[in-house]
Amino acid sequence: MERQEQEAGEKRVRTILIDPLVRRGLARPSTVTVVQFEAMQEDMCQRLAYMTEVNLAALADQVAANPGGKEKDRFPIANTILQWAADIQPPGDDASPLVRAIFAHGLGRGAVAEGWAPELLAEVKRRRQWPKPYGVAQIRDGGLQAARQMQVLDERLAQGRQLTAAEADWCGRRKAVLDRCAELARKAEA
């Protein structure tokens, strides 16, 4: 996300999510100091800058309907709000620091080179954590199987044979995700 987009997104989060919740009377969580609460708000603005106005408004409604604290008059903790935000509008590949870090790492670059990056990307977005070695092996095995299937279909096309509509659709979607993963790895190198 470019700097201007990020700043505009942060302002949008403050205007549509945080300020209306404060006006509704939601206070800082009792376990958080004023300084920590301000830092939590700033962090949420940065992390949620990718969200659209409509989805931020939906998130604001969800937060307002599920306040924290014993008296139900407090902001929920940031992790809860961020989880709800990801359910409403998952961050794009380039908006997730975890995805960017994985594709900057040898793990992501290796997955791109070997052709199993789409499976790695899907798993990281689903679980939202760095995969453990056993998980990487499982992801890699499944991804290499899909890469072999792609190779078979490409060979069939090279021979002048036709693909079914489903096969052509699958190839198109997979190539688009492969390109997106390669772009993530390229951006990480820059």
Side-chain angles (χ1 to χ4, degrees), residues 55-76:
N55 290 332
L56 281 169
L59 179 60
D61 284 347
Q62 185 164 347
V63 172
N66 298 285
K70 188 167 57 171
E71 301 296 321
K72 300 295 182 196
D73 63 347
R74 307 284 177 164
F75 265 83

Side-chain angles (χ1 to χ4, degrees), residues 5 56 60 79 96 128 139 155 172 175:
E5 291 175 30
L56 281 169
N79 276 347
S96 167
R128 295 187 193 119
I139 297 165
E155 288 171 2
K175 286 179 182 175

Side-chain angles (χ1 to χ4, degrees), residues 79-165:
N79 276 347
T80 301
I81 295 172
L82 294 172
Q83 179 62 53
W84 291 338
D87 292 341
I88 292 170
Q89 181 183 345
D93 302 337
D94 61 343
S96 167
L98 178 61
V99 169
R100 288 194 312 261
I102 285 176
F103 281 92
H105 188 269
L107 172 63
R109 288 194 305 271
V112 168
E114 294 175 13
W116 54 278
E119 287 72 21
L120 177 62
L121 178 62
E123 185 65 14
V124 169
K125 287 176 73 174
R126 185 177 72 79
R127 298 201 47 169
R128 295 187 193 119
Q129 68 182 34
W130 197 281
K132 299 197 178 343
Y134 178 76
V136 169
Q138 296 295 312
I139 297 165
R140 185 175 185 271
D141 290 346
L144 290 176
Q145 204 169 36
R148 282 191 290 279
Q149 178 64 26
M150 184 82 150
Q151 185 178 11
V152 166
L153 296 175
D154 284 344
E155 288 171 2
R156 196 183 313 167
L157 282 174
Q159 295 168 354
R161 296 168 48 199
Q162 295 292 320
L163 300 180
T164 67

Side-chain angles (χ1 to χ4, degrees), residues 5-71:
E5 291 175 30
Q6 178 70 25
E7 288 173 358
E10 289 177 28
K11 184 178 179 186
R12 190 171 50 245
V13 173
R14 176 127 344 243
T15 302
I16 297 172
L17 177 69
I18 294 174
D19 290 346
L21 292 172
V22 169
R23 282 193 301 273
R24 285 178 156 182
L26 290 185
R28 68 177 169 81
S30 58
T31 59
V32 174
T33 67
V34 171
V35 173
Q36 290 172 325
F37 184 58
E38 289 171 1
M40 180 182 96
Q41 290 178 2
E42 185 177 327
D43 182 61
M44 282 194 304
C45 286
Q46 291 170 354
R47 291 176 184 268
L48 299 177
Y50 71 91
M51 292 185 77
T52 65
E53 288 183 22
V54 170
N55 290 332
L56 281 169
L59 179 60
D61 284 347
Q62 185 164 347
V63 172
N66 298 285
K70 188 167 57 171
E71 301 296 321

